[in-house]
Structure formats: C-alpha cells, structure tokens
Amino acid sequence: FVIVSETRPRLQGARLTTWELRQEGVAHVLIADSAAPHLIQRGQVDLVLTGADRIAANGDTANKIGTYARALAAHAHGIPFYVAAPLSTIDRSTATGEEIPIEERSPDEVLTVEGLDDSGVSVRVRIAPAGTQALNPAFDITPHPLITGLITEVGIVPATAAGIDEAFARALAMLKDRR
C-alpha cells in the first residue's frame, strides 16, 4: 500500500504517480503534501521512498521541494528514508548538496492550479487573490545523514562518498562480467 503525496505545485504525484500505481494494480491513497509528516508522526508510514533529480558525491540529494521535510520527519521518528535513482543521477563532480543550484520556477505555478473540468477539459484557475506574490523553489537538498540508503540499479548503498564509490565499483564489475 502506497501513500502518495500530491507533489505541489505541479501535482506530479496526483497526476502521474497515482496513474502509474493504478496501472500496476498497487493500492494507494493520495494525500496533501503537508500531511506526510503528520502520518509519519502517527506511525502510519513504514518507510519513505523518494527519487532524486541530482545526487552529490557525498550522498546529499536534490529532489522536489518538500523532500527534506519528509526526511526530517522520518529521521525524527526512526522511519527508514530511501532515495531511488539510477547511477546517472549521481554527479561526482559536485562535492555536496550546498553546491547544487536550486531552480526558482514561475510564481504562477503556486498562484494557480490546473485540473480537468467535468467534461475532461484542462483548465487553470487562480487560487490566491490578485496581487499576491509567491516564491516557488522547485527543489530542496536532503543531507546524506538523513538518508538510509540509495537504491540504484546495482543495489542499495549507503548515501555516503564510500557508498557511491561502492555503487560505481559494482557497476564496473557488472560491465566486466558481461564481456
């Protein structure tokens, strides 16, 4: 059973993750992003699994905004927090998450919401009063000490420089074995 957060402001969880889980026949429920730490605190979550857009050489990860808050909640309540990403996501030339630039997207993504009307037509509506200013950082950084492990195509490794080195060594060994 999967608890899916909506992934504001673009709603990828509500639109994509729920669709994919439904296609695979996986039972799930959709929640507001801000409900995740509450459910973790109440013991309703066994583990947290997220992706990453970029992983630094030390294991710090950049992912959709709100990931860091989930990692903090999981850590505070002893819940494993895993990041699933292919090795191609790891940028070994970036030492730490502090070096990863955070994209600031259009405020319009926060000030409006897009959805389907009753006839299935996509419509965008304003959800804040006219003149409201908005900030829209697209990503945040989760420090590696909050991450239980990185799930990669070569197995689960620690979210550390040594763990990342181990993952690349495993990948190299797999390539050699294929030859």
Side-chain angles (χ1 to χ4, degrees):
F1 185 80
V2 178
I3 299 171
V4 180
S5 60
E6 61 190 352
T7 322
R8 285 276 300 147
R10 297 192 51 102
L11 302 172
Q12 298 99 315
R15 294 178 183 193
L16 300 174
T17 306
T18 56
W19 183 86
E20 290 172 355
L21 290 169
R22 186 173 186 158
Q23 296 301 307
E24 295 297 324
V26 176
H28 60 278
V29 65
L30 181 66
I31 62 168
D33 282 341
S34 55
H38 168 73
L39 296 177
I40 290 168
Q41 180 186 45
R42 293 184 58 140
Q44 295 177 274
V45 175
D46 297 318
L47 70 86
V48 177
L49 177 63
T50 187
D53 286 77
R54 191 168 174 190
I55 301 173
N58 72 339
D60 293 348
T61 64
N63 195 49
K64 302 294 179 270
I65 194 74
T67 303
Y68 175 56
R70 284 173 185 75
L72 285 171
H75 183 75
H77 296 284
I79 304 298
F81 182 92
Y82 288 95
V83 174
L87 292 178
S88 60
T89 305
I90 299 171
D91 180 355
R92 295 168 93 182
S93 68
T94 300
T96 72
E98 291 179 14
E99 297 176 21
I100 300 173
I102 302 299
E103 177 186 358
E104 182 73 29
R105 291 190 178 157
S106 169
D108 191 51
E109 290 181 353
V110 175
L111 298 170
T112 64
V113 66
E114 185 177 338
L116 301 176
D117 67 14
D118 290 339
S119 62
V121 174
S122 180
V123 294
R124 180 175 290 276
V125 296
R126 176 176 270 291
I127 58 172
T132 299
Q133 300 296 306
L135 294 175
N136 188 15
F139 305 97
D140 59 23
I141 304 298
T142 301
H144 68 276
L146 298 177
I147 301 169
T148 305
L150 302 174
I151 302 172
T152 73
E153 62 270 35
V154 297
I156 300 173
V157 297
T160 61
I164 287 170
D165 289 345
E166 176 186 340
F168 279 95
R170 284 185 199 172
L172 186 58
M174 291 171 69
L175 283 173
K176 288 180 180 177
D177 287 346
R178 288 184 188 157
R179 291 182 185 161

